[in-house]
Amino acid sequence: YSTAPAEKLYTPVIADEVYGPTRVNVEAQRAKPDSLFHTIRRMLTVRKQHLAFGRGDFHWLVLESPALAAYTRHFEGETLLIINNLSAHPQVGQFPPEISGVYTDLFSGKTLELNQIATLQPYQYLWLARKN
């Protein structure tokens, strides 16, 4: 946020009580471990550790639920499966049989067995690496 006079700013500062700078600012976000700031930092760290995110094969998965966005990435022997629930409601995804298998959650390190049907909670996302 700027100390410049309001007339010198490119656009006006948001004066909203919910989204204004008194509530949404970097200092407040840094103080909360579960904030969007820290979530994005964790995502960037994970993304940098896996070259498949930016290289290699990319394949969208066609799912029945339009609220689920899922794709695979494959590069140099690593296969990633990314599943995003873009909805405020739980979503059930029916996945192709070749997706079934054992994965490692890239955020928690936990092992996850994914079958052809999985339920994602509102706005849940999974970044998974297939175990060989």
Side-chain angles (χ1 to χ4, degrees):
Y1 299 95
S2 177
T3 57
E7 66 273 3
K8 296 283 187 184
L9 299 175
Y10 178 74
T11 59
V13 174
I14 298 171
D16 186 83
E17 287 182 23
V18 176
Y19 298 106
T22 56
R23 180 138 186 256
V24 179
N25 58 67
V26 175
E27 183 179 11
Q29 292 278 304
R30 283 185 169 180
K32 294 175 62 180
D34 62 340
S35 70
L36 180 60
F37 175 84
H38 287 292
T39 298
I40 298 298
R41 284 187 65 167
R42 282 190 297 275
M43 293 172 105
L44 289 170
T45 299
V46 168
R47 189 179 190 285
K48 287 178 183 177
Q49 293 170 348
H50 299 272
L51 294 177
F53 274 110
R55 299 181 181 158
D57 298 332
F58 176 94
H59 176 71
W60 280 109
L61 298 177
V62 179
L63 305 175
E64 291 180 20
S65 172
L68 291 176
Y71 61 89
T72 59
R73 298 293 312 237
H74 183 78
F75 182 70
E76 292 186 349
E78 180 178 47
T79 299
L80 303 179
L81 171 62
I82 311 304
I83 310 169
N84 303 282
N85 179 359
L86 307 176
S87 164
H89 305 285
Q91 297 293 315
V92 176
Q94 185 158 355
F95 298 94
E98 62 271 14
I99 296 303
S100 295
V102 179
Y103 292 84
T104 300
D105 183 305
L106 296 180
F107 292 103
S108 70
K110 293 181 181 176
T111 298
L112 171 74
E113 187 167 350
L114 184 67
N115 297 312
Q116 286 183 268
I117 297 176
T119 302
L120 272 75
Q121 297 307 310
Y123 303 113
Q124 182 182 4
Y125 54 90
L126 295 171
W127 290 11
L128 307 171
R130 186 169 203 135
K131 288 189 158 198
N132 295 330

